[in-house]
Structure formats: structure tokens, C-alpha cells
């Protein structure tokens, strides 16, 4: 709508329209009412002008009437104004809620490659500040923008009725005003864009700094961190400085133009009043109307900043929403839900970034089997198992679960069927219960307790004053590395998977605890297929078969006795370990 | 923990004292604030004079003097040119001043975060701290940029207008200001409610932000367990709560604005009624009436602004309180004067206890580590091993007892200097978004690429990065994204080594490495650690082969202490641990 006036603003307005069109009723209430309320507001200077005319003609009764009319009109205007003001707040906050909700859903629906390369502080700032930038455009902008346009139109009409001359001056001013405001908006654009980006950097840097505070302290790196941060805030500040200079120059220019117009009218029309029959009331009224225009005109200057800020916000929200790295939807229409918990890899290769992490692997894991995967650091073990719950899609070949190609299995079914406990464990702030159930209402306290027992951490939980309600995470007690891992294992068990993958998820546990857990898994879950990645020989002893990975390739497989009996990567890898312990 | 409730932050300081402090901080930027004050005054002066000039112009017209009219029209124009210049300065400098202040707040808060005690981070969520430095600081922007100057100039305009009206015609002035007490009573009666509702909006957005931050951090768990639906449900609940909090605040704010308008109109009507009567009877001129009407209209606008100001003021003081709370947080004490260059005798634990809440992580621990000695600390998960490391690193201070280096209490040693001679491999590698080489250099900015590469090769850690296309120059993501845990750990080890420390603490430093790699680095590590004082925390007993002494912890107490063979023959806890691993491994 304003594209002609403000330059290429379409992305912002089409974004707004996506949300506002669902609230047409509120919109159709706010738009006419805001016009109405302006009509009332303009009426008051007209009435004041009229009262001056009546004073000149000595009409006392007329003056009394006008006082009463002003109060009545204002009362009606106040009600209308209330509806407009609340209505636009309603629209803006509803839009923010929906936009934020869409962004959240879209974010949650991204695949892992997206999160591998996104800064979490930056993502967070998109959810908060960027949505807020758009919201502010609606809350401040919508009613005021329409009001401004309407006010200009009505003011023009009234000036026309007061006298053609008043109108002509007005007509000369308006295009100048629009041009100036459009121009300053364009000047601001790059700075707003850079500002929003830097705000994201700030969040990223804070996130990184706060997470790694122990590293920073132990390496005496506090000063370097400070200068890095002040570097970011310094650039953020200088962007603002540029914007300030632009706005400082142009926005007051708009009111200057109007005021000079008014001064011109005072003189020119004043002479006419003196020399001919022009009436002074009309002159006063039109001067009042010009001074009333000052506010919307200043707003015209401000709106540019709002639009540009919102535009950068929309771009950054779109940056996430339009990112093609969505979670891999099931191919075909099948949405299969296999029953069997066997797994097989057929000529699977995986490329992540520019890096080939898995090379042509084929392997079979039978139902209910317990297998171990070993291999050197960086050999591709995690990438191999990450493909089972479809965290990553194989670049070539196929992975099957229960005989079904994983890419055709219903995604949510697959991820409930397969539970993967990663190396890097996540503990949410909340109770231990919440951390185990992750909010699943079907998991009872009994289930939680038995999962905690299987994960060898129930004794610890029982010792706590609040038991399952013990708060953990950032606002609760601090769990040790081993405790975190066991809570994560309990979480996986409680979700009743048919396939359980422990991706080096027991590295912080001592060997005894680790073996206890793996052994009790068999008793806890009937027929569970278990895949364990570990560097411990003791763990591998519990496996029916072991797969050895090196450089992304499967180089050896078989039961422990076979592998340790033969010369090969496996015995080379574990030779030293047994030697030390012997 | 309640200390960190966002409500408390402001209540603790009080809104007025926060504003006073902000003002005095702003005035520190003398040049900018002087320009701002001068320009605001100039704008108000124009605002006050313009209606007067307008009235004089009208009188010039009614009395038919064109020359006077021209003069007043020109004065009117000049006034607005002055206004332009003042506004230009005001607009730019207010914004610059505001952003400068926000930058100062952020920088100071960040600086403080680098020096608060480590325990601070267990008290408050990372997401909440970030939100303080980003959202809360940003909330000041609107307040300082738009609201403050508007209100200041508004108040100036109101006061000055009343003064000028008083000079022009005292009795008419009384009528004009008759509605002001009504306004005041109305504003004050509604204030408490408005405040409460705005507080609710800040709470709502803070808990929304905190939750989203955690969801982003835990995305792998959310997706891994296919709990997107439930997480979305939780998010929607908070998102809706945020909407409702805002709507309820908006409702009140809109109502306020409307009622003020009605009061305004009554004031204008009163002036017309009284003033017109006087003008008709010739007591005042028509020009004076016009000026009066103009003033009355002028001084209601700031009042309407005040309703907007109030919202902004609420967010600003809440945010300000939360930032000053960080800035005022007591720094980690570093009063030590001793500056050790190395370790001559060793480290001694003397009856050291460490309490978290009500439970002891360490209790009455006494042992010593000689200079150049390698001590292994073993024990079950949760036995207190990491706590012990944290105490040696001065991350925490013992609740009782003392730890000393060469006989000097760690508390008396300057922490920065102490950390110069120590190094650590933490259980969690915690890497930065940088190249691998950059991450290593973090601990010792002077080290060259070649030197770093040499260490990787020397320790046999180079080939585990051979799968990366750019090798050690590979750019890694936030928290080491894109690398395996073992690779992260290898980087963390080299990062500790490159500091060339006298004392090194290795907390499960090799738990994520494969056995082959681990074994490969043993020799190089043994050579490197020679003549250095080392504390190794390990589960895998294979990794403690080069320890001179082993300390076995059990439930926060030392269960056993001695050489490997001694402990084996002692047949105690260590023997049991060893047995289990051995049985499992053989």
C-alpha cells in the first residue's frame, strides 16, 4: 500500500498482511475508527476557530453552544480512541504471538545440519527482538500510519473548505514531505540491517562466553573477552550513531517545512484579512490545522525507522523460516510404522559439509541384538548411528529399520521407536521427573523410578530431599558428568524404545556402573536392540557382536572372541588396554 | 535464588534511586548531555513563544497593521528555524546519548560477569543473563530516546505555558488550569494497577525467552525423542500468557489515554466559555483568547504522552534494576599478594571441606602433592573428584580448612598470577566458534601455528583430524559443533599443554578418546608432564599408570592413599575398583 511512497517495502507489508488478514474484523474496526477519531480531533480546532468568529460577531449563545459541543464530541472521540488504541495493541500482540509461534515451529522443524551451523544466541534474538521490531511497527505504525494518511486527507479537505488558498499551500507541501521521509528511510536501511545482525552476534558471544566461563577464567582470558565484547557493542553503537545523524537531520526538517508554510500563510492570508473580506476565524482555524499536522508529520519521519527496523526483522525471521534445511519428511506416501527392531545398512555413505564421514557401509543388526561399535576418535561412529533416527539422511545408500527404509518411516514414530543417548547430554532445568518424562503424560512415576533404577541413579535421587521433584539444571542442583549421563539414559529407557543407542553415553561413568547399566537394560526391556559406542573393552564384552569403524569404513565385525583372536584393528586398539590392566 | 527474581531487582533499588543513578551516569557524558539539555530548552522556548507570536499576529490583523503582521510572521518563521536546529541536535544527541549509556551498561555488566565468583553461574540461568544484557538493556532504548526528552520538554512546556498565561491574564489562567488537579488525582489512582500489569508483561516475556533458549540448547534431545509437539505446547502456553499479560496492560493504558482526552476537552471548553465572554465584553483581546486556546491545547499533549511514558518507564526501571544488579554484584575477591613463579614444595590440603547447600561434596580432606609429583584422584561417580579439582583451580573456596601452595594459603595468592602457572583440561571441553588452531591459541595467544601443529603431531593427535577437509584450519561451530567429543577433547588437551604450565589438572581428560589414541599420547604426555605437578582425575585406571600416588575418594572423604602396589596389596576400595575393571576387561 505504501510501497509507492516509501520505496520497496513489500516484504514487510506482505509479512504483516499474512498475519493481519486473519484478524480482518479487528482490522476493519481499527481502520475506520481511527479515521473517525481523527475526524473528531480535527473538528476541535475548527470549532475553536468558529468560536473566535462568533466572539468577533459578539454571539454569546453561540459560544456557549460550541463549548458544550466540544465536550460532547471529545467524549465520543475518547471512546473511539480507546477502541483504536486497544485494537491496534490487540492486533500487534496477536501478530507477535502468531509470528513467534510460526518461527518456533519452523525452527523446531529444522534438521540437524541447520543447528550445526546456527548460533543459539542469534536464533534467540530472532525469536525476541526481531519479532518485537515487527510488532512495534503494527502497534505504533498501523493506527498512526492510517491516521496520518487520513489526517492529511481530511486536513486537506477542511483547508479546502476554509479557503482555496489555504489548500494550495498545503498541496505544495505534501509531496515535499513524502519525498523527504522516503529518502531518509532509504538512507537508514543499511544501518538497521547491520544493527539487527550485530544484535544477534551479541547474543552469540554472550552465550559462548557464559557457557565457557571456566575455560576463560582458567586461561586468564577475561580481558580478551572484554575487548571482544566491547568490539561488538562498539560497532552496534556506531550503527546507531549513523542512524541518529540521519534522523536528526531529516525528521525535524519535516516539521520545519510545515511551520514555514504556516508562517507564510499567516502573512499572506493576514494581509488578505486586512485588505479584503477574508475572515479571521478561518485563518486561525487553518493555522491550527497546520500546527495539528506537525505531529503526524513528525510521525512520518519516525515511521521510516520503524519500517526499516521491522524490515530487518522480517528478513531475519524469513532467514530461518525460508531456510530449506527442514527436518527430513518421509518420502512417498507410506509413513511406515515397522514393528521389528532389526537394523540394516545398505551401501551407506554420508557427506557432511565437505567431509565424507561414512564410506559405503553395509551391516546388519538383528532383532534384540546387543552390538558394540568401536573405532578411533573421528572415525565416524556417531555419524553412523545418527542416521538411524534420521538425524542425518544418508547421502548414498539406505538405512532400514524393521525392514523399512528409514526415509519412508513416519518421523515421529521412528524417533519414538529409536532412542539415542548422545555424547553431549542435555539436562533441562526442571525436576528430575520432568527430565525423564520430557512431559510425556503416559510415563508414570513408577516408570520413572524403574528407569532411574535401570540407569543406576535411583539411589542418588532417593537421597535427595525432594526425590523425583528435585530441581536440576541451571536453577537446581548441579549434577556431575556421570549423573547427567545416567539421567539421560533413564530418559531414553522411560520412552520405551525398541532400539536404544548409547553413543559414548557412559564415558563419565566408572566401568562398574557402566556394565551394571548395560546388563540391567536386558532385564528391563524385553527384546531391546542395543547399540553401544564405547572405548571400553569391558563394555564390548557385553556385546553379541562388535563393529569396528575406521576412516568412515567398516573394517571388521564379529563377536569379541573372534575379533580379539585375530590380528586386526580391534586387537590393535585394545591390546594396550588389557596390557595395563593385567 | 529468589534474589534473582526480576521483581526484586527493582524493588531492592527502588525506582527513584534507579532513575537518579541513571541520570548521574548520563551526565558523565558531559558534552552530549549538555547539548541535549540546551536543545530541549530551546525547543520548549519555541513551543512557548509560538502561540504568543500567533496571538500578536492575529491582533495585528484585527487592528489592520500589515507591517506588524509581516514582523510577526517572520518571527514565527525564525522561531521554527531555531526549533529545527535545536531538534536536529536533540534528536541526534538524545539517541547517541541513550545508546552510549546502553553500551556502557552492557560493557560494565559483561566486565563484571568476567569477575564474579563462579558460584554466580550456578545461581542464575545463562538464558536469563543473556536476556538481561540484550532485551533489558534494549528496553531502555525506547525510554531514553523517545520518552525522556518528550516528557522533559513536555513538563517544561506545561510549566512555562502556565507562567506565560499567568502573566497575560491571571484569572483566565486559573480557569485554564482548573482541570489539572483532576488529572493528577486520576493518574495517581490508576498508577498502582498499571505498574502491576506492566510487571506481569516483563515476567511473561522473560520466562518465554528462558524457555526458548533452553529449547534451542536442547534441540537434539527434543528431536531425538520426537517431543516437538509437547515442547510446542509448552511454548504456546507461555506465548499465550505473554499475549494476555500485554493485552491486559494495553487495555488500561488505552483507557487512561481516552479519559485524559475528555478531561482535556473540558478544559478547552471552559476556556472558550469564560474567555469568549471576556473577549466579547472587551476585557481581553481576541488575540489573547487565541493564544490561550493554543496554550491549553499545547499542555495536554504532554499529559497524553505521559501514559506512554509510564509503560516505557516501567520496562526501563525493571531492566535497569536487573542490569545494575549484575554490575553491582560483588566481585570474586583476589586480595592475594603472593605471586608464585613456580612450585617449590607442592600443594597441601589441610582438613578441607566443601559444602553445597546441605550436603558435603568433600569432608575433612587432608593430603599433599609434592612439587613435580603426579597424583591420581580416583573414585566412583559423585565421590567429589571434580569438586577437588575446582578447589585447586580456585573456582570455589573451601567451606572449611585450607589449601596451600608452597605453604602459602591459596587465598593469599593472586589468582591471576596463580592461573598463569596452571592449566586445566576440563571434563567438558567447551570450545569456541573459531578454527581448531584458534581454539588452541586461546590459552596462549602468542603461540604460532607451527608450534601448535607440532604439538598435535608430537602427541599423536594429528591423524584424528585427518577426516576434516581443512585439517587443523577447520572452522568449528558454537561449542565445537561439527566435531566428535573425542576430537573436542584432543583440542582441549593441546590447549592446556600449550600454556606450558607448572601445575596441570586433567579432569577425565582422555575419557572420550579411543584407547588407541589414548595409548598413543601416553608416552608424549609422560615426557611433557615430567617435572610438572599434575593432578589426574580418571575413571579408567589405565590412564593413571604414571601416577606417583593415588588418592581414592569415597563420598567426599579420602578412603585410601598411596602408591599403586601399596593400594593393591591393601585390598581396599581401590583394589575393588581395579578388580572390577580387570575382571570386566579380561
Amino acid at each position: 500500500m505504501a510501497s509507492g511512497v516509501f520505496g520497496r517495502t513489500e516484504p514487510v507489508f506482505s509479512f504483516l498482511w499474512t498475519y493481519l488478514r486473519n484478524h480482518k474484523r479487528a482490522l476493519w474496526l481499527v481502520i475506520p475508527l481511527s479515521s473517525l477519531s481523527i475526524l473528531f480531533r480535527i473538528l476541535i480546532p475548527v470549532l475553536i476557530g468558529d468560536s473566535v468568529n462568533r466572539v468577533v460577531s459578539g454571539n454569546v449563545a453561540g459560544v456557549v453552544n460550541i463549548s458544550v459541543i466540544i465536550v460532547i464530541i471529545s467524549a465520543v472521540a475518547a471512546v473511539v480512541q480507546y477502541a483504536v488504541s486497544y485494537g491496534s495493541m490487540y492486533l500487534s500482540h496477536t501478530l507477535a504471538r502468531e509470528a513467534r509461534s510460526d518461527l518456533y515451529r519452523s525452527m523446531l522443524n529444522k534438521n540437524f545440519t541447520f543447528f550445526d551451523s546456527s548460533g543459539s544466541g542469534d536464533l534467540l534474538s530472532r525469536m525476541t527482538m526481531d519479532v518485537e521490531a515487527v510488532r512495534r511497527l503494527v502497534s505504533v505504525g498501523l493506527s498512526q500510519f492510517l491516521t496520518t494518511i487520513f489526517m492529511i486527507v481530511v486536513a486537506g479537505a477542511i483547508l479546502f473548505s476554509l479557503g482555496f488558498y489555504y489548500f494550495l499551500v498545503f498541496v505544495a507541501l505534501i509531496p515535499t514531505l513524502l519525498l523527504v521521509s522516503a529518502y531518509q528511510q532509504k538512507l537508514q536501511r543499511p544501518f538497521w540491517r547491520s544493527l539487527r545482525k550485530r544484535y544477534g552476534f551479541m547474543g552469540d558471544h554472550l552465550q559462548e562466553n557464559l557457557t565457557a566461563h571456566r575455560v576463560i577464567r582458567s586461561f586468564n582470558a577475561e580481558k580478551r573477552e572484554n575487548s571482544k565484547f566491547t568490539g561488538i557493542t562498539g560497532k552496534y553503537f556506531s550503527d546507531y550513531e549513523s542512524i541518529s545523524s540521519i534522523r536528526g537531520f531529516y525528521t525535524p526538517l519535516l516539521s520545519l517545512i510545515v511551520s514555514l508554510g504556516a508562517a507564510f500563510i499567516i502573512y499572506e492570508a493576514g494581509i488578505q484579512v486586512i485588505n479584503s473580506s477574508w475572515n479571521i476565524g478561518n485563518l486561525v482555524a487553518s493555522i491550527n490545522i497546520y500546527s495539528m499536522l506537525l505531529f503526524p508529520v513528525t510521525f512520518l519521519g519516525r515511521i521510516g525507522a520503524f519500517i526499516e527496523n521491522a524490515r530487518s526483522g522480517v528478513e531475519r525471521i524469513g532467514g530461518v523460516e525460508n531456510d530449506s534445511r527442514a527436518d527430513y519428511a518421509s518420502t512417498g506416501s507410506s509413513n511406515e510404522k515397522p514393528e521389528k527392531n532389526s537394523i540394516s545398512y545398505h551401501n551407506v555413505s554420508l557427506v557432511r559439509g565437505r567431509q565424507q564421514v561414512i564410506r559405503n557401509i553395509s551391516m546388519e543388526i538383528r532383532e534384540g541384538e546387543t552390538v558394540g561399535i568401536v573405532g578411533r576418535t573421528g572415525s565416524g561412529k556417531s555419524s553412523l548411528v545418527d542416521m538411524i533416527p534420521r538425524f542425518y539422511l544418508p547421502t548414498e545408500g539406505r538405512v532400514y529399520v524393521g525392514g523399512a527404509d528409514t526415509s519412508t518411516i513416519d518421523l515421529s514414530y521412528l524417533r519414538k521407536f529409536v532412542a539415542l543417548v548422545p555424547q553431549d547430554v542435555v539436562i533441562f532445568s526442571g525436576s528430575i521427573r520432568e527430565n525423564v518424562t520430557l512431559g510425556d503424560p503416559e510415563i508414570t512415576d513408577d516408570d520413572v523410578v524403574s528407569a532411574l533404577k535401570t540407569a543406576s541413579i535411583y539411589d542418588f535421587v532417593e537421597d535427595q530431599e525432594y526425590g523425583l521433584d528435585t530441581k536440576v539444571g541451571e536453577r537446581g542442583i548441579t549434577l556431575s558428568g556421570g549423573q547427567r549421563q545416567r539421567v539421560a539414559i533413564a530418559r531414553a529407557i522411560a520412552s520405551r524404545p525398541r532400539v536404544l543407542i548409547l553413543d559414548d553415553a557412559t564415558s563419565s561413568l566408572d566401568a562398574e556402573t557402566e556394565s551394571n547399566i548395560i546388563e540391567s537394560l536386558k532385564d528391563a526391556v524385553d527384546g531391546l536392540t542395543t547399540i553401544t559406542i564405547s572405548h571400553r573393552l569391558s563394555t564390548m564384552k557385553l556385546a553379541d557382536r562388535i563393529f569396528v569403524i575406521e576412516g568412515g569404513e567398516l573394517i571388521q565385525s564379529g563377536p569379541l572372541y573372534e575379533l580379539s583372536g585375530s590380528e586386526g584393528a580391534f586387537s590393535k586398539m585394545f591390546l594396550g588396554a588389557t596390557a595395563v590392566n593385567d | 535464588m529468589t534474589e534473582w527474581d526480576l521483581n526484586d531487582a527493582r524493588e531492592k533499588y527502588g525506582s527513584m534511586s534507579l532513575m537518579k543513578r541513571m541520570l548521574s551516569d548520563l551526565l558523565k557524558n558531559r558534552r552530549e548531555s549538555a547539548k541535549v539539555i540546551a536543545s530541549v530548552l530551546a525547543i520548549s522556548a519555541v513551543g512557548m513563544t509560538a502561540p504568543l507570536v500567533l496571538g500578536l499576529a492575529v491582533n495585528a490583523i484585527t487592528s489592520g497593521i500589515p507591517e506588524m503582521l509581516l514582523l510577526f510572521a517572520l518571527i514565527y518563521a525564525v522561531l521554527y528555524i531555531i526549533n529545527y536546529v535545536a531538534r536536529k541536535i536533540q534528536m541526534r544527541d538524545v539517541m547517541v546519548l541513550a545508546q552510549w549509556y546502553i553500551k556502557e551498561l552492557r560493557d560494565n555488566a559483561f566486565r563484571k560477569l568476567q569477575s564474579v565468583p563462579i558460584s554466580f553461574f550456578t545461581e542464575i540461568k545463562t538464558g536469563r543473563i543473556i536476556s538481561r544484557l540484550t532485551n533489558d538493556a534494549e528496553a531502555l532504548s525506547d525510554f531514553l530516546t523517545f520518552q525522556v526528552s518528550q516528557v522533559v520538554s513536555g513538563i517544561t512546556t506545561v510549566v512555562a505555558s502556565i507562567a506565560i498565561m499567568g502573566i497575560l491574564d491571571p484569572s483566565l489562567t486559573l480557569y485554564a488550569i482548573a482541570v489539572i488537579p483532576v488529572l493528577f488525582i486520576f493518574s495517581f489512582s490508576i498508577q498502582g494497577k498499571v505498574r502491576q500489569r506492566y510487571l506481569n508483561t516483563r515476567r511473561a516475556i522473560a520466562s518465554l525467552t528462558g524457555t526458548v533458549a533452553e529449547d534451542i540448547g536442547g534441540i537434539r534431545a527434543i528431536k531425538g525423542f520426537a517431543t516437538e509437539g509437547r515442547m510446542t505446547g509448552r511454548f504456546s502456553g507461555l506465548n499465550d500468557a505473554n499475549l494476555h499479560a500485554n493485552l491486559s496492560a494495553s487495555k488500561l493504558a488505552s483507557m487512561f489515554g481516552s479519559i485524559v482526552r475528555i478531561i482535556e476537552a473540558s478544559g478547552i471548553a471552559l476556556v472558550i466559555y469564560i474567555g469568549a465572554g471576556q473577549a466579547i465584553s472587551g476585557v481581553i483581546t481576541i488575540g489573547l483568547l487565541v493564544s490561550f486556546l493554543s496554550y491549553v491545547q499545547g499542555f495536554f499533549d504532554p499529559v497524553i504522552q505521559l501514559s506512554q511514558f509510564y509503560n516505557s518507564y516501567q520496562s526501563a526501571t525493571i531492566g535497569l534494576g536487573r542490569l545494575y544488579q549484575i554490575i553491582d554484584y560483588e566481585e570474586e575477591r583476589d586480595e592475594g599478594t603472593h605471586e608464585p613463579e613456580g612450585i617449590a614444595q607442592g600443594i597441601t590440603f589441610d582438613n578441607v571441606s566443601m559444602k553445597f547447600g546441605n550436603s558435603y561434596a568433600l569432608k575433612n580432606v587432608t593430603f599433599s602433592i609434592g612439587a613435580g609429583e603426579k597424583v591420581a584422584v580416583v573414585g566412583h561417580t559423585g565421590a567429589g573428584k571434580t569438586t577437588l579439582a575446582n578447589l585447586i583451580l580456585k573456582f570455589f573456596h573451601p567451606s572449611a580448612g585450607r589449601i596451600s601452595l608452597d605453604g602459602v594459603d591459596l587465598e593469599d595468592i593472586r589468582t591471576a598470577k596463580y592461573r598463569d602457572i596452571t592449566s586445566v583440561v576440563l571434563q567438558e571441553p567447551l570450545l569456541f566458534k573459531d578454527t581448531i588452531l584458534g581454539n588452541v591459541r586461546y590459552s596462549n595467544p602468542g603461540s604460532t601455528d607451527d608450534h601448535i601443529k607440532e604439538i598435535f603431531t608430537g602427541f599423536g593427535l594429528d591423524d584424528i583430524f585427518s577426516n576434516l577437509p581443512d585439517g587443523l584450519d577447520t572452522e568449528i561451530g558454537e561449542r565445537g559443533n561439527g566435531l566428535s567429543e573425542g576430537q573436542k577433547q584432543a583440542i582441549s588437551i593441546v590447549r592446556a599443554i600449550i600454556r606450558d604450565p607448572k601445575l596441570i589438572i586433567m579432569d577425565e581428560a582422555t575419557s572420550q578418546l579411543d584407547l588407541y589414541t589414548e595409548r598413543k599420547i601416553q608416552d608424549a604426555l609422560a615426557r611433557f608432564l615430567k617435572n610438572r605437578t599434575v593432578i589426574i582425575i580418571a575413571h579408567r585406571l589405565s590412564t593413571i599408570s604414571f601416577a606417583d600416588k593415588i588418592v581414592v575418594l569415597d563420598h567426599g572423604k579420602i578412603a585410601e592413599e598411596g602408591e599403586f602396589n601399596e593400594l593393591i596389596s591393601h585390598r581396599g576400595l581401590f583394589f575393588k575398583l581395579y578388580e572390577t575393571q580387570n575382571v570386566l576387561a579380561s
Side-chain angles (χ1 to χ4, degrees), chain A residues 194-268:
Chain A
S194 140
L195 204 64
R196 297 252 61 89
K197 212 165 75 191
R198 290 193 206 286
Y199 192 80
F201 287 160
M202 207 189 295
D204 273 352
H205 183 60
L206 278 167
Q207 178 79 46
E208 188 171 77
N209 176 279
L210 296 173
T211 315
H213 62 270
R214 286 176 197 227
V215 174
I216 293 158
R217 298 291 174 89
S218 56
F219 295 147
N220 279 338
E222 295 94 330
K223 286 209 180 82
R224 276 181 278 147
E225 288 291 308
N226 277 332
S227 60
K228 208 158 137 196
F229 187 75
T230 50
I232 297 174
T233 54
K235 282 181 182 152
Y236 188 73
F237 174 70
S238 77
D239 279 338
Y240 255 122
E241 239 178 351
S242 311
I243 292 173
S244 311
S245 302
I246 296 168
R247 296 186 56 187
F249 186 83
Y250 289 100
T251 305
L253 194 61
L254 298 171
S255 18
L256 179 64
I257 293 171
V258 174
S259 303
L260 290 182
F264 180 72
I265 284 185
I266 292 176
Y267 179 71
E268 286 292 321

Side-chain angles (χ1 to χ4, degrees), chain A residues 84-94 135 139, chain B residues 247 250 254:
Chain A
V84 171
S85 160
Y86 180 68
S88 48
M89 286 307 242
Y90 170 83
L91 282 168
S92 81
H93 283 292
T94 313
R135 189 197 72 75
S139 88
Chain B
L247 288 184
S250 307
S254 306

Side-chain angles (χ1 to χ4, degrees), chain B residues 144 199 212 279 317 322 324 344 399 508 533 573 586:
Chain B
L144 289 170
L199 207 62
V212 173
T317 48
R322 294 166 86 191
Y324 276 133
S399 322
E508 300 282 354
T533 310
L573 185 63
S586 61

Side-chain angles (χ1 to χ4, degrees), chain B residues 197-232:
Chain B
R197 293 197 185 175
Y198 274 97
L199 207 62
N200 291 344
T201 65
R202 299 300 299 174
R203 281 210 191 97
I205 191 70
S207 68
L208 183 80
T209 311
T211 303
V212 173
E214 201 170 72
D215 290 350
I216 296 172
I219 192 72
R220 287 184 82 91
I222 291 172
K223 298 190 83 69
F225 288 97
T227 57
E228 289 98 328
R230 285 200 294 280
M231 290 298 162
T232 308

Side-chain angles (χ1 to χ4, degrees), chain A residues 3-17:
Chain A
S3 50
V5 178
F6 292 107
R8 285 176 288 116
T9 30
E10 298 84 0
V12 185
F13 291 117
S14 68
F15 183 87
L16 294 184
W17 184 238

Side-chain angles (χ1 to χ4, degrees), chain A residues 74 78 85 97 104 108 120 208 217 220 224-225 233 236 249 327 354 376-377 429 474 508 541 572 581, chain B residues 84 107 116 126 138 214-215 223 254 258 265 416 433 442 470 478 514 517 519 539 582 584-586:
Chain A
S74 298
S85 160
R97 177 186 65 169
Y104 181 85
L108 231 52
S120 51
E208 188 171 77
R217 298 291 174 89
N220 279 338
R224 276 181 278 147
E225 288 291 308
T233 54
Y236 188 73
F249 186 83
D327 217 338
R354 285 182 297 139
R376 296 200 53 192
T377 300
S429 42
E474 292 192 83
S508 299
K541 279 189 181 153
K572 192 178 149 202
N581 282 344
Chain B
Y84 169 75
D107 289 353
V116 292
T126 312
E138 209 64 21
E214 201 170 72
D215 290 350
K223 298 190 83 69
S254 306
S258 291
K433 190 170 163 29
Y442 192 85
D470 296 324
E478 193 177 282
D514 62 279
T517 308
R519 213 163 45 237
H539 286 132
N582 227 6
L584 291 167
S586 61

Side-chain angles (χ1 to χ4, degrees), chain B residues 311-423:
Chain B
N311 310 346
S312 191
Y313 171 77
Q314 292 296 338
S315 327
T317 48
I318 292 169
L320 207 55
R322 294 166 86 191
L323 279 160
Y324 276 133
Q325 198 181 21
I326 292 179
I327 293 172
D328 293 345
Y329 201 89
E330 204 178 330
E331 277 188 27
E332 167 88 346
R333 54 208 150 98
D334 187 7
E335 293 149 0
T337 46
H338 286 265
E339 304 207 337
E341 295 295 333
I343 301 174
Q345 295 142 37
I347 294 172
T348 316
F349 272 64
D350 189 7
N351 247 327
V352 172
S353 295
M354 186 67 200
K355 227 173 148 181
F356 290 110
N358 291 322
S359 58
Y360 278 95
L362 282 181
K363 200 162 185 187
N364 299 331
V365 169
T366 302
F367 76 103
S368 59
I369 306 161
E373 205 176 17
K374 284 131 200 71
V375 174
V377 180
V378 300
H380 283 290
T381 308
K385 305 186 294 286
T386 298
T387 304
L388 192 127
N390 282 335
L391 288 177
I392 297 179
L393 286 163
K394 286 188 83 173
F395 284 165
F396 292 108
H397 303 278
S399 322
R402 63 174 235 158
I403 306 169
S404 46
L405 173 72
D406 294 346
V408 182
D409 194 329
L410 280 194
E411 303 295 313
D412 298 329
I413 291 175
R414 205 163 74 81
T415 308
K417 184 65 200 167
Y418 176 66
R419 289 191 177 142
D420 266 348
I421 62 165
T422 57
S423 193

